[in-house]
Amino acid sequence: MAGNSFGTLFRFTTFGESHGPAIGCVVDGVPPLLELTEADIQEFLEKRKPGQSRFTTQRREPDQVKILSGVFEGKTTGTPIGLLIENVDQRSKDYGEIKNQFRPGHADYTYWEKYGTRDYRGGGRSSARETAMRVAAGAIARKVLGDDIKIRGALVKMGTKEINRDNWDWNEVDNNPFFCPDPEAVPVFEEYLDGLRKDGSSVGAVIEIVCSGVPVGLGDPVYDKLDADLAKAMMTINAVKGVEIGNGFEAAELTGIENADEMHLGNDGKPVFGSNHAGGILGGISSGQDVVVRFAVKPTSSILTPRKSIDIYGKEVDVVTKGRHDPCVGIRGVPVGEAMAAIVLADHLLRHRAQCEGWNTNKHFPS
Amino acid sequence: MAGNSFGTLFRFTTFGESHGPAIGCVVDGVPPLLELTEADIQEFLEKRKPGQSRFTTQRREPDQVKILSGVFEGKTTGTPIGLLIENVDQRSKDYGEIKNQFRPGHADYTYWEKYGTRDYRGGGRSSARETAMRVAAGAIARKVLGDDIKIRGALVKMGTKEINRDNWDWNEVDNNPFFCPDPEAVPVFEEYLDGLRKDGSSVGAVIEIVCSGVPVGLGDPVYDKLDADLAKAMMTINAVKGVEIGNGFEAAELTGIENADEMHLGNDGKPVFGSNHAGGILGGISSGQDVVVRFAVKPTSSILTPRKSIDIYGKEVDVVTKGRHDPCVGIRGVPVGEAMAAIVLADHLLRHRAQCEGWNTNKHFPS
Amino acid sequence: MAGNSFGTLFRFTTFGESHGPAIGCVVDGVPPLLELTEADIQEFLEKRKPGQSRFTTQRREPDQVKILSGVFEGKTTGTPIGLLIENVDQRSKDYGEIKNQFRPGHADYTYWEKYGTRDYRGGGRSSARETAMRVAAGAIARKVLGDDIKIRGALVKMGTKEINRDNWDWNEVDNNPFFCPDPEAVPVFEEYLDGLRKDGSSVGAVIEIVCSGVPVGLGDPVYDKLDADLAKAMMTINAVKGVEIGNGFEAAELTGIENADEMHLGNDGKPVFGSNHAGGILGGISSGQDVVVRFAVKPTSSILTPRKSIDIYGKEVDVVTKGRHDPCVGIRGVPVGEAMAAIVLADHLLRHRAQCEGWNTNKHFPS
Amino acid sequence: MAGNSFGTLFRFTTFGESHGPAIGCVVDGVPPLLELTEADIQEFLEKRKPGQSRFTTQRREPDQVKILSGVFEGKTTGTPIGLLIENVDQRSKDYGEIKNQFRPGHADYTYWEKYGTRDYRGGGRSSARETAMRVAAGAIARKVLGDDIKIRGALVKMGTKEINRDNWDWNEVDNNPFFCPDPEAVPVFEEYLDGLRKDGSSVGAVIEIVCSGVPVGLGDPVYDKLDADLAKAMMTINAVKGVEIGNGFEAAELTGIENADEMHLGNDGKPVFGSNHAGGILGGISSGQDVVVRFAVKPTSSILTPRKSIDIYGKEVDVVTKGRHDPCVGIRGVPVGEAMAAIVLADHLLRHRAQCEGWNTNKHFPS
């Protein structure tokens, strides 16, 4: 059934295939009178854009977004915002050989079985090209969240190489082609990924998104918990195989004594947490601490090394994918993960305004 | 906003607090003419029921489910199925001391901040007692799936103790109080958990759900992917902090060469996969392999060891939770995880019937 | 698919059959800290209750509602409110004869064809008994709307007999068994309906709902317009065949000059409308005037006069319905229509809070 | 909140303003392998296109639709279909004078109050220009329904002039500028509307949509009834103030004896109805008879005759609307009503496939 929309109050719907004429989306439910220009969106698209280093696909897409509706005299009007990006650099001939083959680990086979057809050019709808529209929608979500809520992402692991968290520097993230926050890890990643590219292989990665300034109270238990929506959001990103909140899987190893985030009173009389094992979410509702989400991206299945597979005629074949592909799709997953986090938070901000704000005034403390 | 429903075509809505008169749910969208009795549901509730060993809460709830509607002469009618379980063994006095305190790591604080009020008795709505209704709805979901789709769960890790996968035996799972598939791990878990109970602590766990017999084609890209819905489903379960599909976070460490699930033709001419790194889902759509989901449960925050916190009046306090609690809530998470997986699959089975079945007939291969 | 819920932010889901053990509903999305008791709901159920005069069905149902969740210490908590009414006076034997027959004009035939089965006792799920839960949910919706928004309904036409609008007196509505606002029409309706009952027939009616105090700005164009949601809401009520807003079908006969609701400035400098042809809704958004909705109810198809039909075995039969039925179901449609209007308005009040309130501050006038 | 989508399984979302660069929509949930070209859609857009006679607005829009996604090699792929129509003939200067004025009976005032801003050019989002996308989506819905289900509309009343139903001829509908099925009424309508145009006025209309070949069983009680969704669908169309199913408001005047649609067995042993007062829907589910929906359209509020109103600065003004407007918007409402009916039916066809088809096999009769 219809499955190309995300969010409830801040809701967006995307369309478009990798090698069709354009990709686009509709962002609905945006509050009125927010300042919004194409440049506001373009800024984030630039981060995700392909072909910016030798570590991402060499496809050259300007990814120039056009606002088709919902903005008047520089401000949102409350009506749906239509966005469009034309596809420019499609080389469909690259796909001639795998037109009838199922790349192992790729959506080729399952799309074919589900729909009885597929647009094989560049992966069609299953291409990560779709994520450009998420980044665009995410830029609008950030406008809804305002400047006090900051959403930042970083690549913390690539294959078997991990960053040193003691070196974490947010300013470093935009200074290298990996969105890596640890300057010492950058040359390690470079050498590692160059080696994999030469081997005709690819590699996975782990991305961490940190949302600071999130007010306490966002999230709707029990089925629309903030962490549940974040988990879903991240898992919809191409190639993601795992999601964690806060300590994540490590929490399974801890005792209740170790895992408790103790609370104190700060100098301003407001609650202060002594730690953030929970990743800023308790019972599905934001606690006011940083919301921390991590997700694991598998290695691209489109590789130059031959793999055994079958084709649509039922023959066994060796598959080699010659198109232009990201050796580590996780890298460009950073701005996409940020965007999805922004979208989930914007949605829950509006949800909280609807049901609770102004009504939840029984509280003795804290004010 | 309204957030107590899950699913789209197979959709259920729960209500009820830990110490209110009853908990209940409505399951809507169930196909007609499925055989369904209270005993069919009770069977699964028994697995989740508290007080069955010294390793779960000692609260004694018979958890006797009543079907109030939607079933006529032993079969479903296609109308909504109302289910009710009366709460019997509420000892609200246990909660007197923590009535005004925020247990560290618990939803106490965030519910208070979000709603300006909370039913503090037994955690109110945030209690894992709500999961009984998930298990009940899951039993109905299994009817929709039919006998060919099997959904089984097991506890594979408790704190720092892990099972040996070479010993995996599904028949063992129901023979021990941990839903542990490795008979050699059982005594290890027993001793480990006894020690933690004596220390007034608790511990986390990892649960694995395996769905076999799932047909190829379930899942709606790009935002209602099967894995995305599974991730959301598991993350809505109390205390869950991480979700993985197939290899999960380990996939981030692999190369594309290693991670590819190669395909061959079986003796019957049908596709066979050489491995299942993907956990049975490609591009958000089931591949016909086993669907494998894992989730991490944090340790219960309700422990006997004092922890620092604050109360609703803005005073710093030491919190000790004296109620009857699970030292490892992960254990009872096994039947709940199974239920959520069944619900997600039933929903997607109906979704696939709506849009694709009968229309997806262009396929050359496989038939 | 799942179709037993209504509303998005203020959302309720009902279940239950006419002759099952109970009917119930879950109301989700209710703001916290609203005062709510069972008596607040019971007050409205009393208006709809059967057996209160010779002009409604003689079934004796106390319709005593129980709140099962979502309310703590007399106030809502923001969690879902579970409501239950036990069925007490089911006389299923009344239905023995029509068990296998399709009453002409009744849902008997279509339920049978759609689901391949039906609970024939008292109409099962298609019975108007379900509307008791709408009235209960409507009582909660009124709490959300607050005291300044008033929702009142009246029966303005029964069969060929109409009220004289010059006699309209809201105080009269609760003084007669017809919810009739015109005291002079009451004896006319009495005599007319007595005659129809004696003839073993039934008759239709028109109900008008007037919502006053509705703030300007409620409604979400273009597909969730306030009038569109009201139209859907009313059309879901059993036996309703038409819905109008404001002038309704009469508007089709008017010219643009006649139909324009001119605007002026009141003494307080606020906009005043010279007329209300539009029924308080412009472009799908409330204008601040009274919201006026009318709906037409067809005559009950369950009558004592024999009608030609067929049975489930494919035989032609004469159908006579001997159960206890309303000779004019439109009468009890008045509190149900009020409830549905309250629910739609509560939903849109929350929707407007989410997207617009606080952001829509660019206005020069009016403040 | 987000309100620019319609439908659940067959779901479309529109965007765009009257004088923006383009309008567009995304149609999601379309089954795969349906043949679909731009010409298939264009055919229906031609019917709605402005400027085709002196009785509709003189704005010249080619309304040329582009398919941006979801179709591959001439067939749908099951992925979202993006559609775009560029706006060509915007004369925004026409609107200079009413830029700051609220046209009586128009959405000007309510949009301003709701959002605190509005795109005043040509009515912005509230313009009936949006309905072009409904017609486009409706063309796709017809593909889902297949050739056996026919959806046809006609204008049956204009102002005080009505057709003679004895003259009804579907072939006549496309032969006159009014979509009028009665050839004798055409000259009457012409003279009447010419008079109104010269007077600087406008007039309302009633449109009737007849859907034949609809299978029994479509519709989901109790809140997603087929008639409820049709009522909502029609009421979302600009200027609609009333909706009827079958007899509609006339049913309120009938007795149960008169209103019963008696059933018989046809020569083929299948059920035959003796009449169709119900308009093809019983208990919210299609009965297999023609589904008949009527809706009333009010006269355009944009007229040349001055009307009293206020402006955004709080001054009383005389409003004259000089733009190019339809003297009877009801005329172009015919293809829009057809499209909405097709969309509702396509949605319910998919819904029925999901829950019932294949499961509802208990039926003794009819097969």
Side-chain angles (χ1 to χ4, degrees):
Chain A
M1 64 169 276
N4 293 278
S5 300
F6 190 87
T8 52
L9 300 194
F10 182 95
R11 181 168 181 84
F12 77 111
T13 303
T14 73
F15 64 90
E17 276 83 38
S18 178
H19 286 52
I23 56 173
C25 78
V26 190
V27 186
D28 201 3
V30 180
L33 295 168
L34 302 174
E35 295 191 358
L36 183 70
T37 65
E38 288 169 353
D40 291 331
I41 300 171
Q42 202 63 43
E43 172 191 346
F44 293 96
L45 286 168
E46 297 299 317
K47 286 183 70 174
R48 197 212 70 103
K49 216 169 67 174
Q52 303 196 104
S53 80
R54 70 181 183 277
F55 303 111
T56 58
T57 169
Q58 295 307 299
R59 180 170 169 175
R60 298 279 167 187
E61 285 291 348
D63 277 356
Q64 199 69 41
V65 72
K66 273 185 239 167
I67 297 177
L68 297 179
S69 66
V71 177
F72 184 57
E73 298 176 343
K75 290 182 179 170
T76 58
T77 61
T79 63
I81 300 174
L83 302 175
L84 203 75
I85 293 176
E86 286 179 45
N87 288 327
V88 170
D89 183 22
Q90 313 105 307
R91 289 198 217 150
S92 297
K93 62 178 155 47
D94 283 354
Y95 294 92
E97 289 183 23
I98 57 159
K99 175 178 167 175
N100 297 320
Q101 300 177 343
F102 304 127
R103 281 166 287 178
H106 199 276
D108 293 344
Y109 172 64
T110 52
Y111 268 67
W112 181 258
E113 285 282 358
K114 181 176 188 66
Y115 299 114
T117 180
R118 70 187 173 98
D119 179 349
Y120 53 77
R121 301 166 305 163
R125 181 69 182 155
S126 74
S127 166
R129 176 131 191 78
E130 185 269 347
T131 59
M133 298 321 308
R134 303 177 184 225
V135 171
I140 300 175
R142 288 176 195 258
K143 291 280 180 173
V144 176
L145 294 173
D147 292 337
D148 293 342
I149 301 178
K150 282 205 169 25
I151 292 155
R152 294 180 292 191
L155 189 143
V156 297
K157 188 174 176 180
M158 181 190 290
T160 53
K161 313 293 180 192
E162 252 177 291
I163 65 157
N164 178 348
R165 286 180 171 264
D166 293 338
N167 296 338
W168 194 295
D169 178 2
W170 281 115
N171 295 321
E172 188 59 33
V173 166
D174 290 331
N175 290 341
N176 64 73
F178 306 108
F179 303 111
C180 173
D182 170 9
E184 290 178 18
V186 172
V188 180
F189 286 175
E190 280 186 5
E191 191 184 341
Y192 182 59
L193 201 51
D194 275 334
L196 285 160
R197 279 201 306 141
K198 278 166 202 155
D199 295 348
S201 192
S202 61
V203 77
V206 175
I207 285 95
E208 182 165 317
I209 310 291
V210 179
C211 314
S212 54
V214 178
V216 59
L218 306 192
D220 287 307
V222 297
Y223 294 107
D224 293 343
K225 286 173 169 162
L226 183 59
D227 37 4
D229 280 347
L230 285 167
K232 173 162 182 167
M234 299 310 161
M235 201 63 101
T236 66
I237 301 172
N238 310 50
V240 172
K241 301 303 285 185
V243 184
E244 293 183 323
I245 306 292
N247 273 19
F249 275 86
E250 203 187 299
E253 299 185 3
L254 300 181
T255 65
I257 294 173
E258 294 162 340
N259 193 58
D261 294 319
E262 296 192 315
M263 298 178 80
H264 306 273
L265 288 180
N267 291 334
D268 59 356
K270 297 207 168 170
V272 178
F273 288 88
S275 55
N276 189 12
H277 297 292
I281 303 177
L282 295 170
I285 302 169
S286 64
S287 68
Q289 291 193 282
D290 281 1
V291 171
V292 181
V293 192
R294 254 182 322 279
F295 57 95
V297 181
K298 71 174 183 181
T300 325
S301 50
S302 301
I303 52 176
L304 282 164
T305 304
R307 299 279 87 193
K308 300 280 181 204
S309 188
I310 58 175
D311 67 13
I312 63 171
Y313 306 108
K315 284 191 192 145
E316 297 194 335
V317 291
D318 280 336
V319 176
V320 176
T321 311
K322 288 190 185 146
R324 302 157 295 176
H325 295 284
D326 291 272
C328 176
V329 276
I331 298 172
R332 296 206 290 142
V334 174
V336 180
E338 287 179 1
M340 293 308 289
I343 286 161
V344 169
L345 287 172
D347 194 30
H348 275 285
L349 189 85
L350 300 184
R351 292 168 71 123
H352 185 65
R353 284 170 56 91
Q355 192 193 359
C356 295
E357 272 189 32
W359 267 305
N360 57 357
T361 53
N362 192 33
K363 297 181 287 193
H364 304 270
F365 171 83
S367 59
Chain B
M1 63 169 279
N4 293 279
S5 299
F6 189 87
T8 52
L9 300 194
F10 182 94
R11 182 169 180 84
F12 77 110
T13 303
T14 72
F15 64 89
E17 276 82 38
S18 177
H19 286 53
I23 56 175
C25 79
V26 190
V27 185
D28 201 3
V30 180
L33 294 169
L34 301 174
E35 294 191 359
L36 183 69
T37 64
E38 289 170 353
D40 291 331
I41 301 171
Q42 201 64 42
E43 172 192 345
F44 293 96
L45 285 168
E46 297 299 316
K47 285 183 69 172
R48 197 212 70 102
K49 216 168 67 174
Q52 304 195 104
S53 81
R54 68 181 184 276
F55 303 111
T56 59
T57 169
Q58 294 308 299
R59 180 168 169 177
R60 300 279 166 185
E61 286 289 349
D63 277 358
Q64 199 71 40
V65 71
K66 273 185 239 166
I67 298 177
L68 296 179
S69 66
V71 177
F72 184 57
E73 298 176 344
K75 291 182 179 172
T76 58
T77 61
T79 62
I81 300 173
L83 301 175
L84 203 73
I85 294 175
E86 286 179 46
N87 289 327
V88 170
D89 183 23
Q90 313 104 311
R91 290 199 215 148
S92 296
K93 63 179 154 50
D94 282 355
Y95 294 91
E97 288 184 23
I98 58 159
K99 173 178 168 176
N100 297 321
Q101 300 177 343
F102 304 128
R103 281 167 286 177
H106 199 276
D108 293 344
Y109 173 65
T110 52
Y111 267 67
W112 181 258
E113 285 283 358
K114 181 175 188 65
Y115 298 114
T117 179
R118 71 185 171 100
D119 178 348
Y120 53 78
R121 300 166 307 162
R125 181 69 181 154
S126 74
S127 165
R129 176 132 191 76
E130 186 270 345
T131 60
M133 297 321 308
R134 303 177 183 226
V135 171
I140 299 175
R142 288 177 194 257
K143 293 279 179 173
V144 175
L145 295 173
D147 292 338
D148 291 343
I149 301 179
K150 283 206 168 20
I151 293 155
R152 293 180 292 191
L155 190 143
V156 297
K157 187 175 177 180
M158 182 190 288
T160 53
K161 313 293 181 192
E162 252 176 292
I163 64 157
N164 178 348
R165 285 178 173 265
D166 294 337
N167 297 338
W168 193 297
D169 179 1
W170 280 116
N171 294 319
E172 188 60 33
V173 166
D174 289 330
N175 289 340
N176 64 73
F178 306 109
F179 302 111
C180 173
D182 171 8
E184 290 179 18
V186 173
V188 181
F189 286 176
E190 279 186 7
E191 189 185 341
Y192 182 58
L193 200 51
D194 275 333
L196 285 159
R197 278 202 305 142
K198 278 167 203 156
D199 294 349
S201 193
S202 61
V203 78
V206 175
I207 285 96
E208 183 165 317
I209 310 291
V210 179
C211 314
S212 54
V214 178
V216 60
L218 306 193
D220 287 307
V222 295
Y223 294 108
D224 293 342
K225 286 172 170 162
L226 183 60
D227 38 2
D229 281 346
L230 284 167
K232 174 163 180 167
M234 299 309 160
M235 201 63 102
T236 65
I237 301 172
N238 309 50
V240 172
K241 302 302 287 185
V243 184
E244 294 182 322
I245 305 292
N247 273 18
F249 276 85
E250 203 187 300
E253 299 185 5
L254 299 180
T255 65
I257 295 172
E258 296 162 338
N259 193 58
D261 295 320
E262 296 192 316
M263 298 177 80
H264 307 274
L265 288 179
N267 291 335
D268 59 355
K270 297 208 168 170
V272 178
F273 288 88
S275 54
N276 190 11
H277 296 293
I281 303 177
L282 295 170
I285 302 170
S286 63
S287 67
Q289 290 193 281
D290 281 359
V291 172
V292 182
V293 192
R294 253 183 322 280
F295 57 94
V297 182
K298 70 174 184 181
T300 326
S301 51
S302 302
I303 52 176
L304 282 164
T305 305
R307 298 279 84 192
K308 299 281 179 202
S309 188
I310 57 175
D311 68 13
I312 63 172
Y313 305 108
K315 284 192 192 146
E316 298 193 335
V317 291
D318 281 336
V319 175
V320 176
T321 311
K322 286 188 188 150
R324 299 157 296 173
H325 296 284
D326 290 271
C328 176
V329 277
I331 298 171
R332 296 206 288 141
V334 174
V336 180
E338 287 179 0
M340 294 307 291
I343 287 162
V344 169
L345 287 172
D347 194 30
H348 275 285
L349 189 85
L350 300 185
R351 293 168 71 123
H352 185 64
R353 285 169 55 91
Q355 192 193 358
C356 296
E357 273 189 30
W359 267 305
N360 56 358
T361 53
N362 193 34
K363 298 180 288 191
H364 305 269
F365 171 83
S367 59
Chain C
M1 65 170 275
N4 293 280
S5 299
F6 190 87
T8 50
L9 300 194
F10 181 95
R11 182 169 180 84
F12 77 110
T13 302
T14 72
F15 64 90
E17 276 82 39
S18 178
H19 287 53
I23 56 174
C25 79
V26 190
V27 186
D28 200 3
V30 180
L33 294 169
L34 301 174
E35 295 191 358
L36 183 69
T37 65
E38 289 170 353
D40 291 331
I41 300 171
Q42 201 64 43
E43 171 192 346
F44 292 96
L45 285 169
E46 297 299 317
K47 286 183 68 175
R48 197 212 69 102
K49 213 168 70 175
Q52 304 196 103
S53 81
R54 68 181 183 278
F55 303 111
T56 58
T57 170
Q58 295 307 299
R59 180 169 169 176
R60 301 278 166 185
E61 285 290 351
D63 277 358
Q64 199 69 41
V65 71
K66 273 186 239 167
I67 298 177
L68 296 179
S69 66
V71 177
F72 184 57
E73 298 177 344
K75 291 181 179 171
T76 58
T77 60
T79 62
I81 300 173
L83 301 176
L84 203 74
I85 294 176
E86 288 179 43
N87 288 328
V88 170
D89 183 23
Q90 312 104 307
R91 288 196 218 152
S92 296
K93 64 181 152 51
D94 284 354
Y95 294 90
E97 290 182 22
I98 57 160
K99 174 177 168 178
N100 297 321
Q101 301 177 344
F102 303 129
R103 281 166 287 177
H106 199 277
D108 292 342
Y109 173 63
T110 51
Y111 268 67
W112 181 258
E113 285 282 359
K114 182 176 188 67
Y115 299 114
T117 179
R118 70 185 170 97
D119 179 349
Y120 53 78
R121 301 166 305 163
R125 181 67 181 156
S126 74
S127 165
R129 177 134 192 76
E130 186 269 348
T131 61
M133 298 320 309
R134 303 178 183 225
V135 171
I140 299 174
R142 288 177 194 257
K143 292 280 179 174
V144 175
L145 295 173
D147 293 336
D148 292 343
I149 301 179
K150 281 204 169 23
I151 292 156
R152 293 179 293 190
L155 188 145
V156 297
K157 189 175 176 180
M158 180 190 290
T160 54
K161 313 294 179 190
E162 251 176 292
I163 65 156
N164 179 348
R165 287 182 171 262
D166 293 338
N167 297 338
W168 194 296
D169 178 1
W170 281 115
N171 294 321
E172 188 59 32
V173 166
D174 289 331
N175 290 339
N176 63 73
F178 306 108
F179 302 110
C180 173
D182 170 8
E184 290 179 18
V186 173
V188 179
F189 286 176
E190 281 187 6
E191 190 185 339
Y192 182 59
L193 200 52
D194 275 333
L196 286 160
R197 278 202 304 142
K198 279 166 202 157
D199 293 349
S201 192
S202 61
V203 77
V206 175
I207 285 96
E208 182 166 319
I209 309 291
V210 179
C211 314
S212 54
V214 177
V216 61
L218 307 192
D220 286 307
V222 297
Y223 294 107
D224 293 342
K225 287 174 169 163
L226 183 59
D227 37 4
D229 280 346
L230 284 168
K232 174 161 181 170
M234 298 310 159
M235 201 63 101
T236 64
I237 302 172
N238 310 51
V240 172
K241 301 302 286 185
V243 184
E244 295 182 321
I245 305 292
N247 272 19
F249 276 85
E250 204 188 299
E253 300 185 3
L254 299 182
T255 66
I257 295 172
E258 294 162 340
N259 193 58
D261 296 318
E262 297 193 316
M263 297 178 80
H264 306 274
L265 289 179
N267 292 333
D268 59 355
K270 299 208 167 169
V272 178
F273 289 88
S275 55
N276 189 11
H277 297 292
I281 303 177
L282 294 169
I285 302 170
S286 64
S287 67
Q289 291 193 281
D290 281 0
V291 172
V292 181
V293 192
R294 254 182 321 281
F295 57 95
V297 181
K298 71 173 182 180
T300 326
S301 51
S302 302
I303 53 175
L304 282 165
T305 304
R307 299 280 84 192
K308 300 280 179 203
S309 188
I310 56 174
D311 68 13
I312 63 172
Y313 304 108
K315 285 191 193 145
E316 298 195 335
V317 290
D318 280 336
V319 176
V320 176
T321 313
K322 287 190 187 146
R324 301 158 294 175
H325 295 285
D326 291 273
C328 177
V329 277
I331 298 172
R332 295 206 287 142
V334 173
V336 180
E338 287 179 359
M340 294 307 291
I343 287 161
V344 170
L345 287 172
D347 193 30
H348 276 286
L349 189 86
L350 300 184
R351 293 168 70 122
H352 185 64
R353 284 169 55 92
Q355 190 192 0
C356 295
E357 274 189 30
W359 267 306
N360 57 358
T361 52
N362 192 33
K363 296 179 288 190
H364 305 271
F365 170 83
S367 59
Chain D
M1 63 169 275
N4 293 280
S5 300
F6 190 85
T8 51
L9 300 195
F10 182 95
R11 181 169 180 85
F12 77 110
T13 303
T14 74
F15 64 90
E17 276 83 38
S18 178
H19 286 54
I23 56 174
C25 79
V26 190
V27 186
D28 200 3
V30 180
L33 295 169
L34 302 174
E35 296 192 357
L36 183 70
T37 65
E38 288 170 353
D40 292 331
I41 301 171
Q42 201 64 42
E43 171 191 346
F44 292 96
L45 286 169
E46 297 299 315
K47 286 184 68 174
R48 198 213 68 104
K49 213 167 70 173
Q52 304 196 102
S53 82
R54 69 183 184 277
F55 303 111
T56 58
T57 170
Q58 294 309 298
R59 181 168 169 175
R60 299 279 166 186
E61 286 290 350
D63 278 357
Q64 200 70 42
V65 71
K66 273 185 239 166
I67 297 176
L68 297 179
S69 66
V71 178
F72 184 58
E73 298 176 344
K75 290 183 180 170
T76 58
T77 60
T79 63
I81 300 174
L83 301 175
L84 203 73
I85 294 175
E86 286 179 46
N87 288 327
V88 171
D89 183 22
Q90 313 104 307
R91 288 197 217 152
S92 296
K93 64 179 154 46
D94 283 352
Y95 294 90
E97 288 182 24
I98 57 158
K99 174 177 167 177
N100 297 320
Q101 300 176 345
F102 304 127
R103 281 167 288 178
H106 199 277
D108 293 343
Y109 172 64
T110 52
Y111 267 68
W112 180 258
E113 285 282 358
K114 181 176 189 66
Y115 298 114
T117 178
R118 71 188 171 97
D119 178 349
Y120 52 78
R121 301 166 305 162
R125 180 69 182 154
S126 73
S127 166
R129 178 136 190 75
E130 186 269 346
T131 60
M133 298 320 308
R134 303 177 184 224
V135 171
I140 299 174
R142 287 175 195 259
K143 292 280 180 175
V144 176
L145 294 174
D147 293 337
D148 293 342
I149 301 179
K150 281 204 169 25
I151 292 155
R152 294 180 292 190
L155 188 143
V156 297
K157 189 175 176 183
M158 181 190 288
T160 53
K161 314 293 180 191
E162 250 175 291
I163 64 156
N164 179 347
R165 285 181 172 262
D166 294 338
N167 298 337
W168 194 296
D169 178 2
W170 280 116
N171 294 321
E172 188 60 33
V173 165
D174 289 331
N175 290 339
N176 64 73
F178 306 109
F179 302 110
C180 173
D182 170 9
E184 290 178 18
V186 173
V188 180
F189 286 177
E190 281 187 5
E191 190 185 341
Y192 182 59
L193 200 51
D194 275 333
L196 285 160
R197 280 202 304 140
K198 278 166 201 157
D199 295 348
S201 192
S202 61
V203 77
V206 175
I207 285 96
E208 183 165 318
I209 309 292
V210 179
C211 314
S212 54
V214 177
V216 60
L218 306 192
D220 286 308
V222 298
Y223 293 107
D224 293 343
K225 287 173 170 162
L226 182 59
D227 38 3
D229 281 346
L230 284 168
K232 175 162 181 169
M234 300 309 160
M235 201 64 101
T236 65
I237 301 172
N238 309 50
V240 172
K241 302 302 286 183
V243 183
E244 293 183 323
I245 305 293
N247 273 17
F249 276 86
E250 204 187 298
E253 299 186 3
L254 300 181
T255 65
I257 295 173
E258 295 163 338
N259 193 60
D261 294 319
E262 296 192 317
M263 300 178 79
H264 306 274
L265 289 180
N267 291 333
D268 59 354
K270 297 209 169 170
V272 178
F273 288 88
S275 55
N276 189 10
H277 297 293
I281 303 176
L282 294 170
I285 302 169
S286 63
S287 67
Q289 291 193 280
D290 281 0
V291 172
V292 181
V293 192
R294 256 183 321 281
F295 57 94
V297 182
K298 70 174 183 180
T300 327
S301 51
S302 301
I303 52 176
L304 282 164
T305 305
R307 298 278 85 192
K308 299 282 180 201
S309 188
I310 57 176
D311 68 13
I312 63 171
Y313 305 109
K315 283 191 193 148
E316 297 193 336
V317 291
D318 281 336
V319 175
V320 175
T321 312
K322 286 187 187 150
R324 302 158 294 175
H325 296 284
D326 290 273
C328 177
V329 277
I331 298 171
R332 295 207 288 140
V334 174
V336 180
E338 286 179 1
M340 293 308 290
I343 288 160
V344 169
L345 286 173
D347 193 30
H348 275 284
L349 190 85
L350 300 184
R351 293 168 70 122
H352 185 64
R353 284 170 55 94
Q355 191 192 359
C356 295
E357 273 188 32
W359 267 305
N360 56 357
T361 52
N362 192 34
K363 296 180 287 190
H364 305 268
F365 169 84
S367 59

